[in-house]
Amino acid sequence: MISLQMDMVQYDCPYIDTTVDHDVSFSAKQWDFNTARELLETRIMVRGADWGALDNALSTLRAHDNMRGYDLIKREGEVALIRSRIGQTDAMRVIRDRDGYITGPFEIADGSETWHVGFDRRSTADGALSALSRNNDFSVESRDSMDLEEYSDLMRNVGAATTLLNACRDLSTVERETLRTAVSDGYFTTPRDATLSTLADEFDVSKMAVSKNLRRGQRKLLGQVTEAMDDIDVDDAPD
């Protein structure tokens, strides 16, 4: 199996077009493709910078030429869950025509979309990338080849992987940036290359505030990591 993570720009995608015009992002884990009607139905989360940004974005999305159906399921402030149906895009057609398949969630923001796509053979993946380049702009962020044993391990532990992914998504922007900076600056190394004081100066907050953000982020991640550890199939793990 060839697994690709791609940063994709489609010029006929309603979600991407909406993020170009408005400060919103989309994320989805559930989708269904109707082959006969060539429609992609998705339950997708929409998050706006504020209430007005979300309101304007939803109006733009509903009016898009390639939007085939729209239902607002729930909205709370600047976040909404919608059920939408869009016509097949050029990139979707290329992936499907070459027996590609989606292997992970969609993330859409700032005019581009993160795709996780799989192919059974290297030659098929190469052909799909060549075809995609005709009408779409994209970059391949990662490309991995898995043998049967690795693929089997992935399938056995997909629940644990999802738990870890959700843990990262649960972090607030401040918590995520604080943890990332703490790691990159060496706060967790021995001896430490960064301290609460240097981190506080970098974020222009008090030591108490940066400590609170670190602890809160670590608590969220470690709670989910422990849960994922309990779910991992370790029958063949080394001693």
Side-chain angles (χ1 to χ4, degrees):
M1 173 187 173
I2 307 299
S3 179
L4 303 175
Q5 178 177 320
M6 306 166 63
D7 185 45
M8 172 71 69
V9 178
Q10 302 183 75
Y11 297 103
D12 52 356
C13 176
Y15 310 121
I16 290 179
D17 285 350
T18 300
T19 66
V20 171
D21 295 332
H22 305 285
D23 192 2
V24 296
S25 62
F26 295 88
S27 58
K29 293 191 295 184
Q30 181 279 332
W31 56 86
D32 179 64
F33 190 81
N34 186 313
T35 305
R37 301 177 62 191
E38 295 189 343
L39 290 177
L40 180 74
E41 179 176 307
T42 309
R43 284 168 179 79
I44 191 165
M45 189 73 69
V46 194
R47 182 178 296 275
D50 51 43
W51 190 94
L54 176 62
D55 201 51
N56 292 331
L58 293 180
S59 297
T60 297
L61 188 67
R62 287 195 301 269
H64 195 280
D65 290 342
N66 204 25
M67 182 62 64
R68 301 291 185 264
Y70 171 95
D71 298 295
L72 177 62
I73 298 174
K74 187 175 183 180
R75 175 174 177 170
E76 294 180 357
E78 70 277 7
V79 181
L81 176 64
I82 65 173
R83 176 187 177 192
S84 62
R85 292 167 293 283
I86 69 172
Q88 179 171 242
T89 65
D90 176 80
M92 291 162 54
R93 178 187 55 77
V94 169
I95 297 298
R96 288 180 51 78
D97 285 352
R98 286 158 179 78
D99 295 325
Y101 40 90
I102 302 300
T103 60
F106 292 109
E107 298 288 344
I108 309 163
D110 300 323
S112 68
E113 180 176 16
T114 300
W115 275 30
H116 302 271
V117 185
F119 296 91
D120 294 331
R121 295 177 176 82
R122 184 183 304 275
S123 59
T124 310
D126 291 341
L129 293 177
S130 177
L132 280 171
S133 65
R134 296 168 191 160
N135 297 307
N136 305 275
D137 289 328
F138 65 89
S139 61
V140 178
E141 303 296 313
S142 65
R143 176 173 179 145
D144 300 306
S145 177
M146 288 188 287
D147 58 27
L148 287 178
E149 184 176 348
E150 291 172 321
Y151 188 65
S152 175
D153 185 52
L154 175 63
M155 292 299 98
R156 291 200 310 269
N157 295 299
V158 67
T162 300
T163 297
L164 294 176
L165 181 62
N166 289 335
C168 294
R169 285 188 177 139
D170 285 344
L171 294 172
S172 69
T173 300
V174 171
E175 292 162 357
R176 185 180 301 111
E177 291 304 317
T178 302
L179 283 170
R180 181 183 288 117
T181 302
V183 171
S184 64
D185 286 4
Y187 178 79
F188 296 106
T189 62
T190 303
R192 285 179 171 172
D193 293 328
T195 65
L196 287 177
S197 293
T198 60
L199 292 174
D201 290 342
E202 188 159 350
F203 287 99
D204 196 23
V205 297
S206 67
K207 289 195 296 184
M208 181 178 296
V210 79
S211 176
K212 180 179 178 181
N213 290 329
L214 277 174
R215 292 198 310 270
R216 191 163 49 198
Q218 289 175 281
R219 186 165 55 249
K220 287 182 180 180
L221 286 179
L222 290 176
Q224 297 281 43
V225 167
T226 302
E227 182 180 335
M229 288 168 58
D230 292 337
D231 292 338
I232 292 176
D233 184 345
V234 294
D235 291 343
D236 299 322
D239 294 333

